[in-house]
Amino acid sequence: QVHLVESGGGLVQAGDSLRLSCAASGRTFSTYAMGWFRQAPGKEREFVAGITWSGGIIYYADSVQGRSTISRDTAKNTVYLQMNSLKPEDTAVYYCAATIFRIYYSGGGYTNPSRYNTWGQGTQVTVSS
């Protein structure tokens, strides 16, 4: 019922910046929060950042804290991830995800991919050294 489409990925050099976008459509009224995850070859899918749709609660992974900003545009039903000072270790497929579950609190499981019920197709970010 909820459809998510990521965009904004690409090939960049270390130190560059990217802004990823996630556009939501369909029955989005029940969505509680949106999150960004990434998955590198041979690695588990990991949480990057997340934001609640109505409450404005934000979380970041330690690996991107201080150089990334998650934001939303409610009029456009779009969530953004601004990433600065990109490193080769940031290379991965980046996915946006939506959850109907009220999980954005300490111990709520917001970093767990299984707590998100809708996923986009992903956008590739490649950072060269």
Side-chain angles (χ1 to χ4, degrees):
Q1 293 184 330
V2 178
H3 304 280
L4 305 176
V5 179
E6 303 98 331
S7 62
L11 174 62
V12 298
Q13 296 180 340
D16 286 352
S17 298
L18 281 175
R19 189 180 74 160
L20 307 182
S21 299
C22 177
S25 61
R27 298 181 181 270
T28 61
F29 56 85
S30 61
T31 298
Y32 167 72
M34 301 281 290
W36 285 96
F37 291 76
R38 66 187 183 187
Q39 188 164 23
K43 299 289 186 67
E44 297 283 314
R45 187 167 299 189
E46 65 175 347
F47 174 81
V48 178
I51 184 171
T52 56
W53 200 246
S54 298
I57 301 171
I58 293 175
Y59 290 110
Y60 294 102
D62 290 343
S63 58
V64 303
Q65 183 77 44
R67 60 188 182 94
S68 297
T69 303
I70 188 170
S71 61
R72 70 186 185 217
D73 185 334
T74 57
K76 295 182 179 294
N77 282 319
T78 300
V79 175
Y80 305 95
L81 181 66
Q82 176 71 39
M83 302 186 68
N84 302 321
S85 301
L86 284 162
K87 308 173 182 179
E89 307 92 83
D90 295 319
T91 296
V93 177
Y94 284 70
Y95 300 90
C96 65
T99 182
I100 63 174
F101 305 115
R102 311 285 169 153
I103 59 175
Y104 273 57
Y105 59 92
S106 181
Y110 58 86
T111 64
N112 188 344
S114 68
R115 296 294 82 200
Y116 295 77
N117 50 283
T118 305
W119 293 83
Q121 83 288 348
T123 184
Q124 176 72 47
V125 172
T126 302
V127 184
S128 63
S129 60

